[in-house]
Amino acid sequence: MNMWISVEAHFPQAVADREAVAARLIALWNHHVDGEHQIDQDSKTVGSADPTFTDLHFDGECASIEYPGKWETEGIANFAHAASLAYPEATVHTLEEWTGEDPNIVRQQWEGGAVVAEKDSAGPLEPVIAGKSLSVAHAALSGAVERLDGLLRAIAVGEDFWEHWSYSEAQALADVFDAAAQPDAARMVRERVAEADPEMWEEATTASE
């Protein structure tokens, strides 16, 4: 397995006291990552896992650690969390890419101690809401909606369930299914409620036109 590791702390402007910031970032790095990837205060590698391991360096407003290696570096997320708390004005980007038989990539953006965007592939990072990326949240929501559809379909008209629904309640639930790209489920809800109380449904439909 081969890896490429990149950790960048982007500051709003060029860092004036690079020596102090570098010392603090190195201290945070050494505290959180594994013992094989430590850096001393002279920016020299202490660990021996990856001889190509590089030091921390600055380029304008960006402090970065980048290196290829054969072994995974443990604790990068912990470092990003700590660094983004220590420097809340900075945005910390991490990239861990595995190549070889089982290629994989993990990219995250940290601000104020939290992941605010991530992606497990190439392309723009996706915002993270309540600890989940949009793609993960969408997949979870789609799964939950499908399970709800299955439960509702198992309840037939006449089982003392659909008879209690109003027109507006049925339309609200059907709208949820429509928004989740489940038109068959939306149609099922409307049909079940209409079948359970045809008179109510006809009156409500006429009034809404």
Side-chain angles (χ1 to χ4, degrees):
M1 178 180 70
N2 292 312
M3 296 193 67
W4 174 256
I5 301 297
S6 173
V7 180
E8 298 180 345
H10 294 266
F11 293 84
Q13 57 189 14
V15 177
D17 192 352
R18 292 187 176 186
E19 186 174 335
V21 173
R24 189 176 187 188
L25 288 174
I26 290 173
L28 290 172
W29 177 272
N30 288 341
H31 180 72
H32 291 286
V33 305
D34 62 72
E36 296 298 331
H37 294 93
Q38 300 282 291
I39 308 173
D40 68 16
Q41 290 299 332
D42 294 324
S43 296
K44 295 179 181 178
T45 307
V46 176
S48 59
D50 293 313
T52 54
F53 182 64
T54 60
D55 59 12
L56 182 146
H57 60 277
F58 276 93
D59 181 10
E61 74 284 357
C62 177
S64 62
I65 301 173
E66 297 179 318
Y67 57 95
K70 294 183 178 181
W71 311 104
E72 183 174 0
T73 302
E74 300 287 346
I76 287 180
N78 293 334
F79 165 76
H81 173 266
S84 63
L85 282 176
Y87 296 98
E89 74 278 14
T91 300
V92 179
H93 291 265
T94 66
L95 180 150
E96 299 175 79
E97 183 174 7
W98 294 260
T99 60
E101 295 182 359
D102 298 308
N104 189 27
I105 184 171
V106 176
R107 299 157 56 220
Q108 293 183 324
Q109 177 179 327
W110 291 76
E111 294 179 6
V115 178
V116 297
E118 65 182 8
K119 192 72 178 288
D120 58 1
S121 62
L125 295 176
E126 296 181 352
V128 169
I129 300 175
K132 294 182 178 180
S133 67
L134 293 182
S135 60
V136 171
H138 181 268
L141 178 60
S142 295
V145 169
E146 289 180 3
R147 290 191 296 274
L148 178 59
D149 177 25
L151 291 172
L152 292 175
R153 287 182 184 277
I155 304 174
V157 174
E159 294 187 10
D160 196 31
F161 178 79
W162 297 109
E163 291 77 7
H164 299 286
W165 285 68
S166 68
Y167 176 85
S168 59
E169 291 168 343
Q171 291 289 26
L173 179 58
D175 288 344
V176 171
F177 283 120
D178 278 330
Q182 301 279 349
D184 290 342
R187 183 167 52 253
M188 179 272 297
V189 170
R190 294 186 177 102
E191 290 176 349
R192 294 281 173 93
V193 176
E195 183 183 351
D197 194 340
E199 183 178 350
M200 176 275 295
W201 190 264
E202 183 177 357
E203 291 178 355
T205 302
T206 302
S208 65
E209 295 177 349

